[in-house]
Amino acid sequence: MSTFALPFYQCRGHKRMKLYSDQALAKILDKDIFHLIGHVADEMGVECYVVGGFVRDIFLERPSNDIDVVVVGSGIEVAAALKKQLGKKAHLSVFKNFGTAQVKFHDTEVEFVGARKESYSHDSRKPIVENGTLEDDQNRRDFTINAMAICLNEKRFGELVDPFDGIADLEDGIIATPLDPEITFSDDPLRMMRCIRFATQLNFQIEEDTFDALSRMADRIKIVSGERIEVELNKIMMSQHPSIGFEYLQRSGLLQIILPELAALDIVEKRDGRAHKNNFHHTLEVLENVVEAQQNSQFPIFNSQFSLWLRWAALLHDIGKTKSKRWESGIGWTFHNHNLIGAKQVPGIFRRLKLPMGTEMKYVQKMVDLHMRPQVIADSEVTDSAVRRLLNDAGDDIDDLMTLCEADITSKNEVKKKMFLENFRMVREKLADLKEKDYKRLLQPVIDGNEIMEMFHLQPSREVGVLKQYLKDAVLDNQVENEREPLMQLLLKKAAQMGLETNKIC
């Protein structure tokens, strides 16, 4: 079986893995809950199997308390009988519309469903469901590594039923479909996103025929709701190496449909012998750098509550470059104001992908907008005034912004890279010093807008905004101490210049 290989910088130690031994597997299954399920099924005369992700995760040494059980018969009836055996401490939930039931017992959840076969119409992900055999149920599974089942009936307890050799694919690190991948993806196009998500999370490769089907069927993703795509994208984003997933999305053609603004960066133009870098690959490097920084928890000036959204900011930080790209004679390729252009694109992207439009979107938008600021500071002398302004604009998200900006330094020129990082270190030191001095008190003038309106008998207006900004600039530029008397003198002088008579002061 051949596989579709990612570029060398995306493949991270891919090799055949050592799976659980039979003894270790038996130990995991030697829990009362599994034997009790098997006992209940035997009493009712039906076959039952633990299936899917729980079985896969056993072999991957990722134990889970969420257990899926397939019953060749009524899953709801077996669940009800198990609840009766477990007593009052167990909780039973029945979902008749879906033919499923859930039993919760302490920290364990067991989902029961009857074995079934499915058929689909071309314009819907909702299948027509019929009762079926274990074979039917395994045939409808998305990938071979999710199609394994372990029998819980007493006579066959612990027996692995693996008709598609999912064990071999686990050992080889391969994502493949049980049946024809084109049919699998056409039936339920969300499986294309799941395919890439599993490859990313597990650091697996996608089998060649399966990847080819991804490319051919990419257009089918349009019938999947934005909410479902969002879930898969966020799981890719929160994996250890999310760039793997976005490389697969791009090369399969899915990214052009889901996030065309990012896909458009995958181009290099050359003129007069001068080419700009591939900003798509640069973006993936920045994303990986942010993930590494988060994992290392470097320079924690403030504790970020936006781990996922900082990764989104890294992914979107350069999307404005497509619209801002210009060729300037004597200079070369430029991307002036790409941060501002990109920030304006963020709300539309979040809305389309059904991502949250509240504080999360505003955070990402702010990161994209400000991501060039620390670099501009680091390009020249690191002044107190510039750092104060940066801290004022970034607020409590300053450490995340600095993490993003440091991640954005992907130059292969080690001298230049070292210079930038050293300047960033100086910026961080000044930021830490301001924090120790209570930066909010230092940066917000002690005379506010309400007092200005009262002093000059003004309503909310442009004049009030001008006066407020004048005082704020004076504080940020360290022209005067943030104290009432020197600020009042500046205010009166500016007010007089604007024609606001002093006799209007209360």
Side-chain angles (χ1 to χ4, degrees):
M1 179 182 292
S2 59
T3 59
F4 170 80
L6 282 166
F8 73 94
Y9 64 87
Q10 298 290 350
C11 295
R12 302 174 184 271
H14 177 80
K15 57 185 177 182
R16 195 177 185 90
M17 65 178 64
K18 179 177 176 59
L19 298 179
Y20 263 114
S21 64
D22 291 341
Q23 293 82 359
L25 175 61
K27 184 176 180 181
I28 288 174
L29 290 176
D30 191 25
K31 292 183 178 179
D32 291 342
I33 190 69
F34 291 115
H35 289 283
L36 188 55
I37 294 170
H39 174 71
V40 168
D42 284 337
E43 284 193 335
M44 299 179 69
V46 295
E47 298 175 31
C48 72
Y49 303 83
V50 59
V51 297
F54 183 82
V55 177
R56 177 198 69 228
D57 287 346
I58 287 176
F59 292 111
L60 292 176
E61 301 190 41
R62 303 195 319 173
S64 170
N65 289 325
D66 297 326
I67 304 165
D68 292 323
V69 171
V70 162
V71 176
V72 185
S74 172
I76 293 175
E77 290 179 6
V78 173
L82 176 65
K83 195 280 180 194
K84 187 175 181 180
Q85 289 279 344
L86 292 172
K88 294 182 180 180
K89 292 185 178 180
H91 177 74
L92 172 68
S93 300
V94 176
F95 310 96
K96 288 186 178 181
N97 289 342
F98 299 97
T100 64
Q102 183 186 74
V103 176
K104 290 186 179 181
F105 184 66
H106 298 307
D107 61 346
T108 299
E109 296 181 6
V110 186
E111 193 88 22
F112 289 87
V113 64
R116 59 192 186 184
K117 55 183 176 181
E118 298 174 343
S119 57
Y120 291 80
S121 62
H122 185 75
D123 59 350
S124 174
R125 290 184 55 241
K126 295 181 180 179
I128 300 170
V129 179
E130 303 175 66
N131 293 334
T133 64
L134 175 65
E135 181 182 4
D136 291 327
D137 201 88
Q138 290 177 300
N139 285 343
R140 72 178 182 83
R141 300 278 165 174
D142 50 8
F143 308 111
T144 60
I145 61 173
N146 294 334
M148 297 180 289
I150 297 175
C151 187
L152 298 180
N153 297 93
E154 183 179 357
K155 289 184 179 180
R156 297 170 52 210
F157 188 85
E159 177 185 318
L160 178 64
V161 183
D162 184 17
F164 305 109
D165 213 4
I167 282 290
D169 286 347
L170 278 178
E171 290 175 339
D172 291 333
I174 289 173
I175 304 294
T177 58
L179 303 177
D180 183 339
E182 191 163 312
I183 295 174
T184 297
F185 295 145
S186 179
D187 283 349
D188 185 355
L190 183 64
R191 289 169 176 166
M192 294 189 287
M193 295 296 299
R194 285 169 56 82
C195 176
I196 292 174
R197 188 249 296 180
F198 280 123
T200 307
Q201 288 180 324
L202 302 177
N203 193 17
F204 279 19
Q205 292 182 340
I206 300 175
E207 182 266 332
E208 188 174 42
D209 289 342
T210 303
F211 181 81
D212 288 344
L214 276 179
S215 300
R216 291 194 302 272
M217 305 304 295
D219 201 57
R220 289 280 288 155
I221 200 66
K222 292 177 181 178
I223 74 168
V224 180
S225 70
E227 290 85 355
R228 298 305 297 272
I229 291 174
E230 174 209 357
V231 170
E232 297 301 323
L233 281 176
N234 284 339
K235 288 180 178 179
I236 290 171
M237 193 71 84
M238 290 307 293
S239 64
Q240 188 173 3
H241 295 294
S243 63
I244 294 174
F246 286 99
E247 182 73 31
Y248 271 130
L249 287 169
Q250 173 70 343
R251 295 181 66 171
S252 66
L254 284 165
L255 195 64
Q256 287 89 326
I257 300 170
I258 296 169
L259 193 47
E261 298 89 344
L262 180 61
L265 296 177
D266 192 9
I267 188 173
V268 174
E269 287 194 58
K270 191 173 184 180
R271 185 178 294 187
D272 295 345
R274 301 179 69 174
H276 62 77
K277 64 187 173 186
N278 184 305
N279 286 303
F280 175 74
H281 292 152
H282 163 72
T283 293
L284 297 190
E285 285 189 68
V286 175
L287 177 58
E288 289 291 321
N289 289 343
V290 164
V291 172
E292 183 178 0
Q294 287 179 332
Q295 291 169 346
N296 293 338
S297 300
Q298 295 177 340
F299 308 113
I301 295 178
F302 304 110
N303 292 323
S304 172
Q305 299 178 5
F306 292 94
S307 178
L308 168 63
W309 306 110
L310 180 57
R311 297 184 186 200
W312 269 104
L315 191 74
L316 301 180
H317 81 284
D318 272 351
I319 54 169
K321 283 188 171 180
T322 301
K323 292 184 176 181
S324 66
K325 182 168 63 174
R326 299 287 185 274
W327 172 261
E328 297 185 17
S329 181
I331 298 177
W333 293 104
T334 64
F335 303 91
H336 297 312
N337 296 321
H338 74 272
N339 56 313
L340 300 177
I341 294 170
K344 291 179 180 178
Q345 292 176 274
V346 169
I349 291 172
F350 266 57
R351 190 175 295 108
R352 187 178 71 242
L353 294 178
K354 307 300 181 184
L355 291 163
M357 295 298 295
T359 56
E360 297 89 348
M361 185 279 290
K362 292 178 181 177
Y363 167 89
V364 173
Q365 188 176 35
K366 180 167 74 171
M367 292 293 108
V368 174
D369 184 13
L370 297 178
H371 82 270
M372 294 297 294
R373 285 276 295 279
Q375 187 169 327
V376 172
I377 294 173
D379 252 336
S380 55
E381 183 183 355
V382 181
T383 65
D384 288 348
S385 174
V387 173
R388 282 170 173 261
R389 289 181 174 277
L390 176 64
L391 186 49
N392 175 74
D393 292 341
D396 288 344
D397 299 318
I398 184 64
D399 189 56
D400 285 359
L401 179 61
M402 291 302 298
T403 297
L404 174 60
C405 293
E406 288 164 344
D408 198 17
I409 305 301
T410 62
S411 172
K412 301 303 182 283
N413 184 327
E414 291 301 322
V415 174
K416 183 178 180 181
K417 186 175 181 178
K418 183 177 180 181
M419 179 191 71
F420 271 114
L421 293 178
E422 174 61 21
N423 284 353
F424 280 148
R425 184 191 62 78
M426 294 171 60
V427 173
R428 282 190 179 272
E429 286 181 353
K430 288 182 180 293
L431 289 170
D433 184 55
L434 277 175
K435 178 177 180 288
E436 287 181 4
K437 296 177 180 177
D438 185 2
Y439 79 92
K440 289 183 178 178
R441 179 181 60 80
L442 288 173
L443 301 184
Q444 297 300 322
V446 295
I447 300 175
D448 62 15
N450 290 328
E451 187 171 357
I452 290 172
M453 287 189 288
E454 184 177 350
M455 288 173 63
F456 295 97
H457 292 174
L458 293 173
Q459 296 296 316
S461 60
R462 175 183 172 277
E463 286 81 4
V464 176
V466 169
L467 291 172
K468 282 178 60 180
Q469 190 62 47
Y470 182 73
L471 295 184
K472 190 168 190 177
D473 288 342
V475 170
L476 291 175
D477 292 336
N478 206 23
Q479 295 177 15
V480 295
E481 292 295 323
N482 190 10
E483 296 175 355
R484 187 172 186 81
E485 185 58 33
L487 282 176
M488 183 63 72
Q489 293 178 13
L490 283 178
L491 177 62
L492 293 175
K493 180 178 178 181
K494 182 66 176 177
Q497 293 173 355
M498 293 173 61
L500 298 174
E501 299 178 5
T502 54
N503 61 11
K504 291 185 179 181
I505 302 176
C506 295

